[in-house]
Each structure stands twice: as C-alpha cells, then as structure tokens.
Amino acid sequence: MGEVDVIILGTGAAGMAAALAAHEAGAKVALVERWDRIGGTSAISGGVIWVADNPRMRAAGMEDSREDALAYFRSLDHGDLVDETLEAFVDRGPEALAFLEGAGALSVSVLPGYPDYYLDRPGAKPEGSRALDHDLFALGDLGEWAARIYAIEEPKPLMLRETPLGGATALPPLEVLGERMAARQCGFGQAMVARLLKACLTRGIEPVLGVETRRLVKDGERITGIEGEKDGAPFALSARRGVIITTGGFEWDSELRQTFLRGPVTAPASPPTGTGGGLKLAMAAGAKLGNMTSAWWAPTLVTPDAPWASGEPRAQIILIERTVPHAIMVNRSAKRFCNEAANYSALGGVFHRFDPATYDYENLPAWLIFDAQYAARYPLGTRQPGQPMPEWVMRAETLEGLAEAIGLDPAALTETVARFNAHADEGHDPDFGRGTSAYDHFYGDRSREGAAVTLGAIREAPFYAVEISSGLLGTNGGPRTDGQARILGHDGAPIPGLLGAGNAIACPTGGIYAGAGGTLGPALTFGYIAGRTAALANA
C-alpha cells in the first residue's frame, strides 16, 4: 500500500483545486479518478465562475462587498442555507481565486455585463462583474495529457465572452477560429480544466486514472485511506491527513435519483460520470446529508443524433433558443406556462408543477414552438442559422398540422400563438412579463431594441417544434460539511480525515444558483478550503 498525506477523489475543478491547495500547503497528494478521462462535468461546462468581490472585479474598480453578497443569498433562501458554509464561500471565494491565479491554475476575466440572476433582490449586481470567463489555453502545453480531458475531441476555440452565450453579438471571424484550431487553443470549461491540470502536472501531481474506490479505510473513527481496484487488480492507498471527496453528483444513478430527487428528471445535461460514487462512500462513513432533493435544474434539449461516446443519450441546456424572438414554450395543453427568457435554474422548477386533478406534471411534455423567421436567424443546439433542420425536429406548414404531429389540440395551439403574437406586436407580455428584466435581454437578439430583443411573433411557415425536457446540470446535495470543508457525521461533528467539495457535497449556497458560474464558484472555493484543511491537519 502506498502512502501520501492527502488523497483527492475526482479530477473536476473542485478536485484539482483541492490538490493544488494541499500541495502548496506542504502535503504530498494523490489525485485519483474513477474514469479514464479528466474533468467530468467541469470539462463540458461553460466554465463560468461566480464569486462575489473577486480579484478581477477589484482590479477593474468594480464595487462589491461581503454584506451585499450575503444579503443577496439570504433574500433567496427558502430554508436550505447554512450560515457557516455560506459565509465560508463568500469570505474565502476571493482568496481561493487569488490563490489559483497565482498558481497558474486559472486565467480569467470579468464576463462583461452578465447580470446576476435575481435583479430585484438586495445585493444583486445588474451590471454583472461577479461572473468570470476563462482566457484561451493552448492544449499543446499539456502534451499527451490533453487527450485525457473529457470530450476534448469537441473543439471550442472560443472564449465564452466571444459568443452569444457570453453576450457577444457575433462570433470571431472564421479565419481567427481556424488559426486557433491550428494552434489547439480552447476556451470554456476545457480551458479551465486544462489550466488546472497543467498546474497540477507542473508540480508533479499526475492523476491516477481508472481507480474504482470501493471503500474508505478507517483507523478507529478516522478515515485513513481508500481501497478498490485499478485495471482489475486490487488497489489501496493510505492517507496520513485526509481523503477529500470531489466526485461530482449522482444524477446518472437511477436508484439514487429515484430515492432523493423531487420531480421528474428526464435528461441530465451533464456527462454520464455523475454516478454518486462519492455519496455512497460518504453515506457508508456515516455522513450527515443535506440538500438531497435539490439539483441545478435546467430545461434541456436531447440531441438524438449526437449521444455521448459511451452511448448514453445526450442533452444540452437551452438558453438562447427559448429567449430569442419568434419562439415560445407550451405544455401538454398547448398553453404557455412561464417567462421563457427567465434564468434556467429558476425555470427548471416550473417543470415540477404537479396537477392534483390529473395526478401528473402539467407542464410535461413541453415543446419549443418556432417559425421560419427563427430558423433563418437563430441556432438550435449545434445547428446554426441557415443550416438544415435536423430530422428529429418536427415540421409542418400550418400550426394546426404541427399540433397534430406532436399530439396537441390544434385549436388550443393556434389560440396560444395568436395571443402571444398580439402581445409581441405591442411589445409586452402581460401573461408572464417576458422582456421586462435585464436578464431577459441578455440572451436575446441584441440587434433589436426594447422588448423586441426577446419578443417576436410566430407567423411565417414552416412551423417547427422540439420537445424540451426537465433536466439538470448536476445534483447539489450530498454530505454536509462545515466551513472548513470537513464532512460531518450524523452527530454534527466532523468525521476525522474526511472532507468534500463540488457537486459531491451539500452545496454551500443550498439550492440557490446566484448567477452564471453558480456551481463552479463554490466548487473551486471549497476545493481550495478542503485542500488546505486536509494538508494542515496534524501537520
């Protein structure tokens, strides 16, 4: 059995942040991964990081404060916030980012103008600045390790701030993208994972891949290592100071999902690596659980012609598609049921609305309805404007024909569209207030003005429909921690030698998705905290 000071389970953003923090605090670390790829959900994400009063804000002269951040979170609390962990995130987030930037593990910039999600709440920042985007990274700097990043075969030679997802009105020129492709430059979550990995490798921290951790080893009450298999052979590793669980969520484990999550989950947007391994290890160690019924909810679109490499169905979050003009979402009754341009985390909850009369979820199935104007101007998943519609998109020359094709009442759909069109022509949405918030405009068509950024009539044939699923970016429940990222037992006391971060733990912000990057901010911060806590334990 080998021995180190700190074992980190998982190679996402939280895991690599923990490894770097522990190493720089003087610990010998082992970074262990179940899969043959690195990064998981972090690697396929947009990579945005939300941290209040962060170093990039300060450098740009933008004002923020602890008081504003805490007021903002507490105004959104429905009973799932824990003061100690929330305050640890707010207080130490700037410290964590400064550390990671100083270690060469991050290179970020303020995402211009990206507002917080709930602008009517105290402490919100309508002008943005808490959300950070990644600078480009050249994959050649990683050598052969670059091929080990999850889904790296899907090139992203862009920074988020250069795309409509980040508020840009046009992509960089094709020749620029071509030059970046040739130089193997990437942005988004790929850049984040690649830069974190580079910082680890520079310090001699090489991930150990393909390790299935079956159990945590204990000496009395203290966690002292792991046991499992690697490449079919027994594998064991001892930890003098602690084991940190950063293995991601449990959304791809059907039994755990059925046991804990409320409401329907039909299409996770995460890769199929979130199978709850860390949760099972923590439960076996007697961990106290929290936030288990919650997740980072989001409406998603399944792309049947592009499954994951491992064969599981693949879904992606929809942002622009439901926000731009000439599109609405309707439910099984062919009625609109929400402000389609609202932030995806809040919007995810509308799919859980239960109708006691029918004993069913009234807004599922849901459909995105759009017309030829939309098709000519806006994207749908990976399909760009002007390209042919995928075969799995339903199409008809009339709204009545479209309704029949997807099993809706033709008269009801026609009535819904007519009502929406009349309001769109007038430039307002009295039914759901679409277009009234600054956030509603962020993903809209910025070549237009006012509410027309998001409101536009559906009139021109052909008409189209795609099913929208009740999805999520990942779960955010798991073992409870204290403000030092130590996992708590049933008695509320820390389990000696066991720590956690990322989607594997009960999120420090509860179920609140404060703004773009609301998962990665807490993940990186608590990864940093966990690494330092473990490294300095009994040092």
Side-chain angles (χ1 to χ4, degrees):
M1 176 185 288
E3 187 176 54
V4 295
D5 293 317
V6 179
I7 298 169
I8 299 98
L9 303 179
T11 59
M16 288 193 281
L20 290 166
H23 179 276
E24 297 299 277
K28 180 181 179 181
V29 306
L31 186 57
V32 177
E33 171 61 54
R34 175 185 179 185
W35 309 99
D36 63 353
R37 294 290 188 104
I38 292 163
T41 301
S42 298
I44 64 100
S45 74
V48 181
I49 301 166
W50 192 100
V51 171
D53 198 20
N54 63 69
R56 295 299 101 215
M57 290 179 69
R58 296 173 184 171
M62 299 176 179
E63 294 186 359
D64 201 359
S65 68
R66 177 183 197 267
E67 292 72 25
D68 278 356
L70 291 176
Y72 180 52
F73 279 111
R74 286 170 176 153
S75 74
L76 296 165
D77 184 21
H78 289 291
D80 55 355
L81 287 178
V82 175
D83 285 344
E84 181 180 358
T85 52
L86 173 66
E87 291 175 13
F89 166 54
V90 170
D91 291 341
R92 301 193 68 184
E95 174 190 335
L97 289 193
F99 163 79
L100 292 168
E101 285 192 286
L106 288 180
S107 179
V108 293
S109 301
V110 168
L111 195 56
Y114 204 126
D116 287 338
Y117 283 173
Y118 303 98
L119 297 177
D120 61 329
R121 302 305 174 98
K125 300 295 179 185
E127 71 280 4
S129 70
R130 288 168 169 168
L132 302 172
D133 183 30
H134 297 273
D135 299 331
L136 295 172
F137 181 88
L139 291 170
D141 291 349
L142 285 174
E144 294 181 356
W145 279 98
R148 289 295 188 180
I149 296 175
Y150 202 94
I152 200 66
E153 299 84 1
E154 302 169 7
K156 294 180 179 176
L158 295 149
M159 293 176 284
L160 190 74
R161 57 188 179 271
E162 298 177 313
T163 73
L165 290 172
T169 55
L171 297 176
L174 288 177
E175 58 268 24
V176 171
L177 298 181
E179 291 169 0
R180 292 179 182 176
M181 290 278 286
R184 299 182 66 205
Q185 291 181 314
C186 63
F188 289 70
Q190 289 183 353
M192 174 179 64
V193 167
R195 201 168 263 113
L196 284 163
L197 177 57
K198 175 65 174 177
C200 287
L201 295 174
T202 298
R203 291 162 175 78
I205 306 169
E206 289 198 2
V208 183
L209 306 181
V211 175
E212 180 75 43
T213 301
R214 298 291 185 186
R215 64 196 67 85
L216 298 173
V217 178
K218 296 180 71 175
D219 182 0
E221 296 301 313
R222 184 174 186 81
I223 303 300
T224 59
I226 62 171
E227 291 180 344
E229 294 90 36
K230 175 175 169 55
D231 302 326
F235 180 90
L237 191 59
S238 177
R240 288 182 287 265
R241 301 181 192 173
V243 175
I244 304 174
I245 295 173
T246 70
T247 51
F250 60 85
E251 65 273 9
W252 282 91
D253 184 289
S254 58
E255 184 176 357
L256 290 173
R257 198 168 62 227
Q258 181 185 34
T259 300
F260 291 116
L261 290 185
R262 73 174 193 275
V265 179
T266 54
S270 61
T273 54
T275 55
L279 173 61
K280 294 173 185 177
L281 292 172
M283 288 194 296
K288 178 181 181 179
L289 303 182
N291 216 37
M292 295 302 295
T293 62
S294 187
W296 303 121
W297 306 112
T300 58
L301 170 66
V302 176
T303 51
D305 53 352
W308 291 108
S310 48
E312 289 88 347
R314 185 169 185 171
Q316 62 187 73
I317 183 173
I318 60 161
L319 293 170
I320 294 172
E321 292 90 341
R322 57 184 170 78
T323 303
V324 292
H326 313 300
I328 58 172
M329 288 199 301
V330 300
N331 60 15
R332 62 172 62 193
S333 300
K335 296 180 180 179
R336 290 179 70 213
F337 55 93
C338 63
N339 169 7
E340 293 92 344
N343 82 78
Y344 55 79
S345 182
L347 194 60
V350 77
F351 296 103
H352 299 167
R353 189 178 296 157
F354 193 78
D355 181 0
T358 62
Y359 203 73
D360 209 347
Y361 295 98
E362 64 184 15
N363 293 326
L364 289 172
W367 299 88
L368 182 73
I369 306 295
F370 55 98
D371 70 356
Q373 299 174 89
Y374 175 108
R377 293 179 174 90
Y378 308 121
L380 180 71
T382 58
R383 175 260 178 201
Q384 294 303 306
Q387 292 180 341
M389 280 292 173
E391 292 183 0
W392 42 267
V393 177
M394 301 300 293
R395 169 179 172 157
E397 292 301 315
T398 64
L399 284 170
E400 293 85 355
L402 187 68
E404 291 175 355
I406 59 178
L408 300 182
D409 180 348
L413 181 61
T414 301
E415 180 182 349
T416 293
V417 171
R419 178 177 177 82
F420 174 78
N421 286 352
H423 292 148
D425 290 343
E426 295 169 358
H428 72 117
D429 175 23
D431 293 334
F432 297 101
R434 177 173 165 183
T436 58
S437 165
Y439 181 84
D440 291 2
H441 291 223
F442 192 81
Y443 287 118
D445 184 342
R446 296 192 183 188
S447 69
R448 304 185 178 202
E449 296 182 357
V453 166
T454 184
L455 294 177
I458 301 170
R459 283 200 178 96
E460 295 187 11
F463 301 96
Y464 301 90
V466 291
E467 186 171 355
I468 303 302
S469 297
S470 173
L472 46 76
L473 306 182
T475 52
N476 58 23
R480 286 274 184 204
T481 69
D482 63 9
Q484 298 179 62
R486 299 178 298 182
I487 289 177
L488 305 177
H490 293 303
D491 60 357
I495 298 173
L498 190 60
L499 305 94
N503 282 354
I505 65 168
C507 184
T509 63
I512 299 170
Y513 202 96
T519 61
L520 287 170
L524 288 166
T525 300
F526 265 66
Y528 165 77
I529 294 172
R532 285 191 59 81
T533 300
L536 298 175
N538 303 317

